[in-house]
């Protein structure tokens, strides 16, 4: 069945906004928007519930363009339907400061739900959004008032399905039976470097079938047919007991001389091919960025319907709110990302405080969990080890989505991408947990969380070589340096239970960045009742006796107590030693210079950092005359005490190194 002339003109408007924008920028990906325009048109004009005048409406459908290189497809739709994206923004595609960057960025462009581009990420984000919808719906909906009842739609491509994260995400979504998730596959048989059969012979339908999804296939003869795609989406929406996958066989670069060729993927068509494409599809050659008035009116009317949909929803929400005032107050507070006035924080003392910081973290989480219902999350099959299971809060599982413990399985990368999606959805504060060394499995997703300024919490335990016998495959070395080099990431490595408590206070309150808590497997001594100024990044834990210090020992995590013990030895030798606990570089760097100078006086050049990890970066704190003591090699399999002795992390060795390095004379 052929599209109506009116629909064909509307679809071509999407195509040629993309073509002209890429051509003007002399950079971008025209092929995907040209091939997927009919599919996106069917979704956006016949199914997607959205309101361009209120991009943050709670019950809007979420749309994620996982194939983020096709960003002009999304930008064209945002402009046409009336979001705060102008034709001038389209004409400024990929230019400095524009609303239309090379890949979609949430928070930067109105209507963009997720930052995508690294392939597979959007698919994982969409699974997270569907998890958030299912949980919020289970908690807040009432029979006649389903206030959280929307779909999550995602368009993905071949590259998304080739990246390993996709298997983690589709396996998890299928297991969880997320029936409000619909993924459309731009199945054009072409990737950036050539036809997909050079590298790919999977059967995607069979793959999704095996993971428990409902699947459909739209063949090449109907890949541009709006009625067929419309029907397939409707069928998918009617399947409520599992997620849906629709493979649509499309033609990359549709209508251009480069149709079905990889050269349509990652570079402009070129002036001659732009002309030929417009001639082939019956589009005016001039002006560029042309949109007929009747086409723009049609799309703006589609966008305007969203205001009516939201108004209808608002009426229902108001009735729900009146009938459930306490529940409504909780939801409204969570959507504003505000904390309850008084969270029941636990107390740590000499009697109960000498524990592993992972245990302290678990104590804190469970103390506040019932008072903070938006706190949801889980671990990569490790909650008995990471101590992150929320007791008496239930499990998030098929047919029981009200539970708050998400069992991600051994899927670190999807876990982090889902964490991003949950946070982006709104109404929840997600956490994710695993062993610190497995940061490497999820770093791409965590990086995007930092780029997008997502409020999320990561709990990484088994934080150093001192986890012991599991050996170098599990012992982190470079991970702290990696995260500290990542912009907009707060990395906190607390020294004891009290610092862990303070770290959690900061993590739940922080709004515009991921927080990373790096915790020990082994028990640590309680360092005393005090003002543990974790919020300032570093503070003087133990002051030098009798005046200004001769030496400053700076340490994090489990090495802080080591520094305290070394100080006792140095005190005995007449060396005036200050111990500084520095749980968070980022917070310390944000302090006024006067405070930083108080903690690390410029006049004291004898400084030694102590951390059981890579020494990279410590030079800015120890200075030109200081010494960074750490581990710049991989670990080994042995008991903790043996590793500490072999690598010199003992009080005697630290004190001896300080005396040797700084030639500190006894007084």
């Amino acid at each position: 069945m052929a599209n109506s002339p009116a629909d064909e003109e509307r679809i071509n408007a999407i195509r040629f906004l993309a073509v002209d924008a890429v051509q003007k920028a002399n950079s971008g990906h025209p092929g995907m928007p040209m091939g997927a325009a009919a599919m996106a048109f069917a979704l956006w004009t016949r199914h997607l519930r959205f309101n361009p005048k209120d991009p943050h409406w709670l019950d809007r459908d979420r749309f994620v363009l996982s194939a983020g290189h096709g960003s002009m497809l999304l930008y064209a739709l945002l402009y046409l339907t009336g979001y705060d994206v102008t034709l001038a923004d389209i004409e400024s595609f990929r230019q400095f400061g524009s609303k239309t960057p090379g890949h979609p960025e949430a928070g930067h462009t109105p209507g963009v739900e997720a930052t995508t581009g690294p392939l597979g990420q959007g698919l994982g984000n969409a699974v997270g959004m569907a998890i958030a919808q299912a949980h919020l719906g289970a908690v807040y909906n009432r029979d006649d008032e389903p206030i959280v009842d929307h779909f999550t739609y995602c368009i993905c491509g071949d590259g998304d399905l080739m990246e390993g994260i996709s298997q983690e995400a589709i396996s998890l979504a299928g297991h969880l039976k997320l029936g409000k998730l619909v993924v459309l596959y731009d199945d054009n048989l072409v990737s950036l470097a050539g036809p997909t059969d050079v590298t790919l012979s999977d059967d995607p339908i069979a793959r999704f079938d095996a993971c428990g999804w409902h699947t459909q296939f739209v063949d090449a003869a109907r890949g541009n047919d709006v009625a067929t795609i419309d029907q397939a989406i409707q069928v998918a929406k009617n399947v409520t007991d599992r997620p849906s996958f629709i493979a649509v066989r499309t033609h990359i670069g549709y209508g251009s001389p480069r149709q079905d060729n990889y050269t349509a993927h990652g570079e402009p068509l070129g002036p001659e091919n732009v002309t030929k494409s417009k001639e082939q599809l019956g589009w005016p050659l001039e002006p560029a960025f042309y949109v007929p008035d009747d086409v723009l009116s049609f799309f703006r009317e589609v966008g305007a319907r969203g205001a009516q949909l939201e108004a209808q929803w608002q009426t229902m929400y108001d009735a729900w709110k009146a009938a459930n005032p306490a529940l409504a107050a909780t939801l409204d507070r969570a959507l504003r990302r505000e904390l309850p006035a008084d969270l029941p924080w636990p107390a740590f003392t000499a009697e109960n405080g000498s524990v592993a910081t992972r245990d302290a973290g678990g104590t804190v989480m469970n103390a506040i969990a019932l008072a903070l219902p938006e706190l949801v999350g889980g671990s990569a099959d490790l909650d008995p080890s990471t101590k992150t299971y929320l007791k008496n809060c239930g499990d998030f599982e098929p047919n029981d989505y009200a539970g708050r413990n998400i069992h991600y399985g051994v899927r670190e990368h999807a876990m982090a991408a889902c964490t991003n999606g949950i946070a982006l959805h709104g109404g929840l504060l997600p956490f994710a947990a695993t062993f610190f060394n497995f940061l490497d499995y999820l770093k791409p997703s965590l990086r995007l969380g930092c780029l997008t300024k997502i409020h999320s919490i990561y709990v990484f335990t088994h934080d150093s070589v001192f986890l012991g016998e599991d050996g170098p495959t599990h012992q982190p070395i470079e991970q702290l340096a990696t995260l500290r080099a990542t912009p907009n990431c707060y990395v906190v490595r607390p020294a004891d239970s009290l610092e862990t408590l303070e770290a959690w206070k900061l993590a739940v309150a922080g709004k515009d960045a991921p927080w990373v808590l790096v915790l020990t497997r082994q028990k640590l001594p309680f360092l005393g009742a005090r003002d543990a100024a974790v919020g300032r990044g570093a503070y003087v834990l133990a002051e030098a006796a009798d005046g200004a210090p001769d030496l400053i020992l700076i340490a994090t995590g489990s090495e802080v107590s080591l520094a305290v013990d070394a100080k006792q030895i140095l005190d005995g030798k007449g060396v005036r030693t200050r111990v500084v606990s520095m749980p968070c570089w980022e917070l310390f760097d944000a302090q006024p210079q006067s405070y930083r100078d108080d903690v690390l006086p410029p006049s004291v050049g004898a400084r030694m950092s102590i951390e059981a990890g890579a020494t990279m970066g410590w030079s800015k704190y120890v200075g030109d005359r200081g010494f960074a003591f750490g581990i710049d090699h991989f670990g080994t399999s042995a008991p903790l005490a043996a590793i500490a002795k072999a690598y010199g992390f003992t009080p005697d060795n630290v004190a001896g190194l300080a005396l040797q390095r700084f030639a500190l004379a006894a007084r």
Side-chain angles (χ1 to χ4, degrees):
M1 181 185 300
N3 296 327
S4 69
D7 278 352
E8 200 62 32
E9 185 179 37
R10 295 158 185 162
I11 295 166
N12 281 335
I14 298 171
R15 290 182 175 127
F16 287 110
L17 281 175
V19 167
D20 287 340
V22 171
Q23 191 61 45
K24 182 180 180 183
N26 197 30
S27 174
H29 301 72
M32 185 271 182
M34 297 181 78
M39 174 170 57
F41 173 82
L43 174 62
W44 275 67
T45 63
R46 302 194 179 188
H47 296 278
L48 198 69
R49 290 166 49 90
F50 63 99
N51 182 5
K53 302 307 178 186
D54 184 6
H56 303 293
W57 169 31
L58 173 61
D59 204 36
R60 70 192 182 278
D61 289 335
R62 271 50 170 190
F63 173 74
V64 179
L65 183 65
S66 192
H69 55 276
S71 58
M72 264 312 306
L73 174 69
L74 177 53
Y75 298 149
L77 287 162
L78 293 174
Y79 159 65
L80 290 168
T81 56
Y83 281 87
D84 186 18
V85 175
T86 66
L87 191 59
D89 293 323
I90 300 294
E91 294 175 357
S92 299
F93 178 55
R94 290 189 166 215
Q95 303 309 299
F96 185 84
S98 77
K99 287 184 182 178
T100 51
H103 294 86
E105 297 178 26
H108 182 82
T109 308
V112 172
E113 300 281 8
T115 300
T116 58
L119 293 173
Q121 287 291 334
L123 188 54
N125 297 159
V127 174
M129 291 176 184
I131 288 172
Q133 182 279 322
H135 177 73
L136 290 170
V139 172
Y140 292 106
N141 289 349
R142 294 300 178 260
D143 290 341
D144 297 328
E145 294 161 338
I147 62 164
V148 186
D149 192 33
H150 50 267
F151 283 87
T152 300
Y153 296 98
C154 175
I155 291 180
C156 71
D158 301 296
D160 292 295
L161 297 189
M162 282 191 263
E163 288 286 359
I165 186 177
S166 70
Q167 183 57 37
E168 296 183 23
I170 66 175
S171 173
L172 178 63
H175 170 74
L176 292 174
K177 302 184 185 301
L178 298 171
K180 306 283 279 189
L181 173 63
V182 178
V183 172
L184 296 101
Y185 173 33
D186 179 33
D187 186 11
N188 58 33
L189 302 178
V190 175
S191 63
L192 185 148
T196 55
D197 61 12
V198 173
T199 57
L200 185 67
S201 54
D202 299 0
D203 179 345
I205 295 288
R207 179 180 169 193
F208 278 79
D209 279 337
C211 290
W213 290 56
H214 174 263
T215 59
Q216 300 175 77
F217 178 63
V218 177
D219 63 26
R222 296 174 177 82
N224 279 307
D225 184 65
V226 171
T228 300
I229 298 167
D230 172 32
Q231 182 181 22
I233 296 171
Q234 189 59 54
V235 169
K237 289 166 65 177
N238 290 336
V239 176
T240 59
D241 62 346
R242 49 193 160 147
S244 289
F245 175 73
I246 306 170
V248 182
R249 182 60 52 81
T250 61
H251 297 277
I252 193 170
Y254 179 81
S256 77
R258 293 181 176 180
Q259 178 175 315
D260 297 327
N261 191 286
Y262 73 93
T263 56
H265 179 101
E267 60 186 53
L269 295 178
E272 182 179 347
N273 285 332
V274 170
T275 297
K276 290 180 179 179
S277 301
K278 291 181 177 180
E279 291 174 342
Q280 174 66 26
L281 295 179
W283 198 253
L285 300 184
E286 297 292 342
F289 302 98
Y290 172 67
V291 178
D293 291 342
D294 60 331
V295 169
L296 186 59
S297 295
F298 168 82
F299 279 109
R300 293 295 162 88
E301 288 173 7
V302 169
R305 290 202 304 260
Q308 300 170 12
L309 293 171
E310 183 175 356
Q312 294 168 4
W313 173 86
Q314 187 67 48
T315 298
M316 177 179 62
Y317 180 82
D318 290 342
W320 171 86
K321 186 174 183 178
N324 304 278
L327 207 58
T330 297
L331 177 58
D332 287 349
R333 178 189 56 72
L335 290 169
R336 294 193 306 269
R337 299 194 299 166
E338 295 176 358
L339 295 178
D342 295 302
L343 284 174
W345 298 106
F348 292 105
T349 65
E351 286 69 35
N352 70 348
S354 293
V355 295
T357 51
R358 65 168 175 168
D359 289 304
T363 297
V364 175
M365 293 177 70
N366 277 285
I368 65 173
L370 293 180
L372 194 66
E374 61 265 40
L375 183 66
V376 301
S379 73
D381 196 45
L382 286 169
D383 54 74
S385 293
T386 58
K387 310 297 183 182
T388 49
Y389 188 82
L390 301 179
K391 300 172 185 176
N392 303 314
C393 292
D395 294 337
F396 182 92
E397 55 189 6
N399 306 315
D400 187 9
Y401 296 131
R404 293 163 56 189
N405 292 287
I406 303 170
H407 295 281
Y408 285 109
V410 189
R411 302 184 182 100
E412 279 91 354
H413 200 174
M415 174 177 70
C418 288
T419 297
N420 289 345
I422 293 169
L424 287 166
H425 179 280
L428 296 172
L429 172 55
F431 68 87
T434 187
F435 292 171
F436 193 27
N437 204 51
F438 303 148
L439 163 69
D440 298 331
Y441 281 116
L442 61 80
K443 175 58 166 60
S445 294
L446 176 53
R447 179 183 186 273
L448 283 176
C450 297
L451 174 63
T452 313
K453 297 183 178 180
I454 286 171
H455 185 199
S456 57
I457 300 171
Y458 287 83
V459 178
F460 292 125
T461 66
H462 297 60
D463 68 333
S464 74
V465 293
F466 299 136
L467 65 90
E469 291 85 348
D470 276 343
T473 59
H474 284 52
Q475 293 168 350
I477 298 296
E478 75 282 10
Q479 281 73 11
L480 281 166
T482 296
L483 284 180
R484 288 167 176 161
T486 304
N488 205 46
C489 183
Y490 290 95
V491 185
V492 188
R493 188 171 183 240
D496 70 350
S497 54
L498 185 56
E499 285 194 6
T500 305
L501 169 63
E502 296 302 316
W504 262 104
K505 290 179 181 178
L506 293 165
V508 299
K511 291 185 178 181
D512 298 315
W515 286 77
V516 174
L517 309 185
V518 184
L519 309 178
T520 66
R521 177 192 187 190
Q522 75 274 22
K523 183 184 294 187
L524 299 183
F526 182 69
L527 296 175
R530 64 199 187 280
D531 177 15
V534 176
R536 307 204 75 168
Y539 64 98
V540 178
L541 174 67
E543 188 54 278
D546 302 323
D550 301 313
L551 167 69
I552 302 175
L553 299 178
I554 316 166
T556 76
S558 54
E559 289 72 72
V560 175
S561 58
L562 170 61
V564 171
D565 291 343
K567 168 184 165 57
Q568 293 179 355
I569 296 172
L570 291 163
D571 284 345
K573 297 182 179 294
V575 178
R576 297 185 300 220
T577 304
R578 170 183 288 185
V579 174
V580 170
S581 177
M582 186 178 282
C584 183
W585 289 14
E586 296 78 23
L587 290 172
F588 184 66
D589 291 347
Q591 300 306 306
Q593 186 67 51
S594 58
Y595 178 79
R596 286 180 280 156
D597 288 346
D598 283 344
V599 175
L600 300 176
S603 59
V604 183
R607 305 179 189 176
M608 179 177 176
S609 64
I610 311 166
E611 187 171 68
T615 58
M616 179 180 292
W618 273 108
S619 59
K620 69 176 177 177
Y621 302 114
V622 299
D624 293 341
R625 293 177 288 162
F627 171 52
F629 179 54
I631 302 175
D632 291 312
H633 54 79
F634 292 116
T636 189
S637 177
L640 182 159
I643 293 174
K645 182 178 180 180
Y647 293 166
F649 283 82
T650 64
D652 285 336
N653 187 63
V654 168
L657 279 173
L659 290 169
Q660 177 184 350
R661 286 276 177 166
F662 301 115
L664 296 164
R667 295 180 184 276

